[in-house]
Structure formats: C-alpha cells, structure tokens
Amino acid sequence: MNTIPHAPYIELDGIAKRFGEVTAVDGVSLGIRKGEIFCLLGASGCGKTTLLRILAGFEQPTAGRVLIDGQDMAGVPPYERPVNLMFQSYALFPHMTVEKNIAFGLEQEGLPKDEIRRRVADILDIVHLSEYGARRPHQLSGGQRQRVALARALVKRPKLLLLDEPLGALDRKLREHTQFELLNIQQQLGVTFVVVTHDQEEAMTLATRIGVMHRGRLVQVGAPREIYESPATRHVADFIGSVNLFDGVVASGGADHVGLLCEDLPVPVFVDQALGAPVGERVWVAIRPEKIRLSHEPQPGPENLARGTIQDIAYLGDITTYVVRLESGRGMKVTRANAARRGVDDFARGQAVHLGWDPSGPVVGRD
C-alpha cells in the first residue's frame, strides 16, 4: 500500500462560492494529503459538486484560494491544471474504440505515437481491459465502460483525479465489486483521488477520510470509523447510517461520563463520554441499532434500558431489523446479525420485548 504523507497536497483556504444571493459553498478550509482517497459526502444541494468544480477550475471561487502541490490555482484554466475529472456519465465517444477513447487526450497533447501506444497498453492492463481495446463502448458492460472512463482519466497521469458520483450509474452488485477495483487501481498508481458522492456506503468503502458537507459547510472531517462512531453534530449522526436520536437533558457528569434524562426513555441514559456540559443543558443522544440488545426478559441495571412491542421486522439476509414501539410511543430500531444460516428468529410482531445497551454505545452532542 502507498504511504500517505501528512503535509497537505491540496489546500482549500476559506473557499466560498455565491450564485447571486445563494451561498453554495461557505468558507471551506481543508487539507488533502498526497495519495489518499478523500470523499466529499452529503445530500443533494449541499455544495459538494460546486467544490469539486472549483478544484477542477470550472468555477471560480467568490472568496478563498486553491493550492495544488503548493501552486496557487488562481487564474489557471482547467486545461492547464494537473487535474482530471471523471463524470458520472463517463462521456465516452461512441464511434471510437476503447483504445482510441483512452488515447484521445494524449493525441490532443501531441505525444509521439509510440509513447501513446505504450501508455494506453499499460493503463488497459491496470484496469484489466487489455483484450477489449478494439471494442466500442456499446459492446461493453456498465462496469467495463466505467473502467474505460477511469483509464482515460488516468492515462494523462494527473496529480489529482476528481470523480463525480463515479459509480452512480451501476447496479448495486456491480457497484460493490467496482469499489474494490477502484481501490486497487488507486493504490497501484498512487494518484490522489477526490470523490464526490451522496452514497454513504461508497464513501465508507473508498475513503481514507470523509468530509461531510451540509448547507455549504464542511461539518466534519475524519476517517470512516470516526465519522460513524463519533459524529460531531446531530446532522452527521442522523445522516450517516441508521440511528436512534433522542433529545435529553444533562442530569450528571464527570471526567469520563455523562448521565442524561430523555423524555422518550423510561430510565436515565449513562454514556462513557466526557461532555463538559452543565447539569440542565439540553443535548442529543444517538444510539446505533446494532449496539442495542433485544431480549424477552428484563435486562439488568438501572440505566440504559427500555421496553416496548415489536411493530415491524425486516429480514435483510446478513441482518434483521426490528422496529420496537416504546412505551412512550417512539419507534426504536434494533438490528441483529444473522450468524447462523438455519437460525430461527424467536421474535415476532406484537411481542413485548426489553432493550438494553452498554454505556460505550451511545454518542452525546450539544449542537
């Protein structure tokens, strides 16, 4: 695997972009390291694609600056930047063969024919399409077309490759397979990738680090595990994965724990987390469904407990999801891994059940 130095290779310094009275990007500062796959993740309209277009040079920031490998990109047009952009549509030329599609950019640069042939052959080998060079795009599968588009972008050896929803046109099974292919190709070539996606699973699979965007701002940056297990804001907790969110009030606290009272839960919630919030402050608490125990019998302990009735059950193969209607009327999701192939689910709709979770499971926030 490539080693990733800590010095920023791409720097975004106070980037803002306004379209009339609409602020699409609002003061984003970010450092991306050489050789990493960085994912900009967020819902439609959050500003992630605008930020990608600013990196590519297709949009000029209203404020701030972009540096790539120490060079300020102010005034540098897209075709002179050490950047290539791969679109979701792939934009392959239908009348050209795979080889011609990949060679097009090199021919535009006027490289010698022998050099072009060598580089096209090398990149076809890397993307496992050497035997498809004479075919045209309509003779390829969706995943193969995606790899041709990737090869065309990489054959020019950019310092930075920008990918806008690169796998969005693929079906789920092919998308999962292609995610790992993309990882392997990136590790072979060492090119820095910046990926824009609204697909959380795609970001979690591909990224070295993820930047979550919301309303034009970068609200949290971190490794996938950090983003999932330690969300910095209520929005991140709610946006990433499945979660049970409750409003609460701080009842007690210490150097490494906090106790909460939540209106929708019958007993206090105790969390192994230093919060520093005074007693009486309103907070939120997030509890992931997989961290909750489901049982027929009452669970021990005076805290982190709830009771309810199973309202819905969804068998999803690897897991089963239960929606439990609490005594307060709130629904709470619980998931259980289906570890045994012939296991029999001993829970049914309408059954009364007990819930419990460890203090290390929830996350508490103040925003």
Side-chain angles (χ1 to χ4, degrees):
M1 290 182 61
N2 298 312
T3 56
I4 300 172
H6 292 289
Y9 188 61
I10 297 110
E11 293 183 72
L12 304 177
D13 182 16
I15 295 293
K17 180 63 180 180
R18 289 182 285 276
F19 297 96
E21 297 183 357
V22 177
T23 300
V25 179
D26 190 4
V28 170
S29 293
L30 172 68
I32 298 172
R33 300 188 290 267
K34 186 175 183 178
E36 78 172 322
I37 300 181
F38 190 93
C39 280
L40 288 167
L41 175 65
S44 297
C46 70
K48 59 187 186 296
T49 297
T50 301
L51 199 57
L52 197 77
R53 291 177 59 83
I54 289 171
L55 267 171
F58 297 133
E59 299 283 357
Q60 294 303 310
T62 308
R65 60 182 188 149
V66 175
L67 292 93
I68 299 176
D69 199 12
Q71 180 185 358
D72 195 329
M73 293 290 108
V76 180
Y79 57 86
E80 290 184 5
R81 297 190 179 199
V83 172
N84 219 331
L85 177 60
M86 178 179 156
F87 295 98
Q88 179 179 352
S89 64
Y90 308 150
L92 301 177
F93 299 116
H95 63 288
M96 290 185 182
T97 65
V98 167
E99 287 178 341
K100 284 290 186 181
N101 264 282
I102 296 171
F104 181 80
L106 302 179
E107 291 171 348
Q108 295 298 105
E109 292 180 354
L111 268 64
K113 289 183 178 180
D114 288 346
E115 173 73 4
I116 292 173
R117 277 195 295 269
R118 184 182 62 81
R119 285 171 63 169
V120 169
D122 287 346
I123 199 69
L124 279 172
D125 183 56
I126 288 171
V127 299
H128 306 295
L129 288 175
S130 295
E131 61 192 90
Y132 296 91
R135 294 193 186 185
R136 285 179 167 76
H138 74 275
Q139 296 173 309
L140 303 175
S141 70
Q144 288 167 341
R145 287 195 295 271
Q146 190 265 355
R147 282 184 278 159
V148 174
L150 182 63
R152 187 178 60 181
L154 290 172
V155 77
K156 295 182 70 174
R157 299 176 180 171
K159 292 182 177 180
L160 172 64
L161 181 62
L162 308 176
L163 301 100
D164 187 7
E165 303 281 0
L167 309 180
L170 306 180
D171 61 62
R172 179 180 175 85
K173 198 80 172 179
L174 186 55
R175 187 164 66 245
E176 291 175 355
H177 174 72
T178 309
Q179 286 169 1
F180 290 103
E181 283 196 340
L182 196 59
L183 275 174
N184 291 332
I185 291 166
Q186 191 272 343
Q187 289 176 0
Q188 285 183 62
L189 298 177
V191 177
T192 305
F193 281 16
V194 176
V195 181
V196 158
T197 183
H198 68 277
D199 188 314
Q200 301 167 32
E201 185 177 316
E202 185 173 300
M204 301 285 277
T205 301
L206 292 175
T208 312
R209 290 186 301 150
I210 296 171
V212 182
M213 292 196 69
H214 181 53
R215 295 179 178 174
R217 296 185 178 223
L218 203 57
V219 292
Q220 187 173 0
V221 176
R225 177 178 288 274
E226 179 185 353
I227 295 287
Y228 183 83
E229 299 289 2
S230 303
T233 68
R234 186 186 185 113
H235 170 78
V236 175
D238 196 22
F239 183 72
I240 302 295
S242 182
V243 72
N244 299 289
L245 271 170
F246 295 93
D247 292 313
V249 176
V250 176
S252 62
D256 59 357
H257 68 276
V258 60
L260 314 171
L261 296 176
C262 299
E263 183 178 340
D264 289 318
L265 296 172
V267 298
V269 177
F270 190 88
V271 184
D272 289 341
Q273 179 185 332
L275 188 64
V279 171
E281 181 171 328
R282 296 201 64 82
V283 294
W284 53 265
V285 58
I287 311 172
R288 299 286 185 192
E290 73 274 10
K291 302 187 188 304
I292 301 170
R293 297 184 299 273
L294 186 67
S295 65
H296 295 293
E297 302 299 327
Q299 300 193 23
E303 300 142 339
N304 298 347
L305 301 174
R307 298 179 297 273
T309 302
I310 295 177
Q311 184 179 28
D312 288 302
I313 301 175
Y315 176 80
L316 302 176
D318 56 340
I319 62 169
T320 297
T321 298
Y322 304 86
V323 178
V324 178
R325 183 65 57 188
L326 303 180
E327 293 176 328
S328 63
R330 266 286 303 269
M332 195 166 183
K333 283 187 178 180
V334 183
T335 59
R336 299 176 81 208
N338 295 319
R341 185 167 68 89
R342 292 189 173 87
V344 177
D345 194 348
D346 57 349
F347 294 97
R349 288 179 178 84
Q351 279 189 339
V353 291
H354 296 263
L355 310 178
W357 54 91
D358 295 329
S360 59
V363 176
V364 183
R366 306 172 69 178
D367 69 308

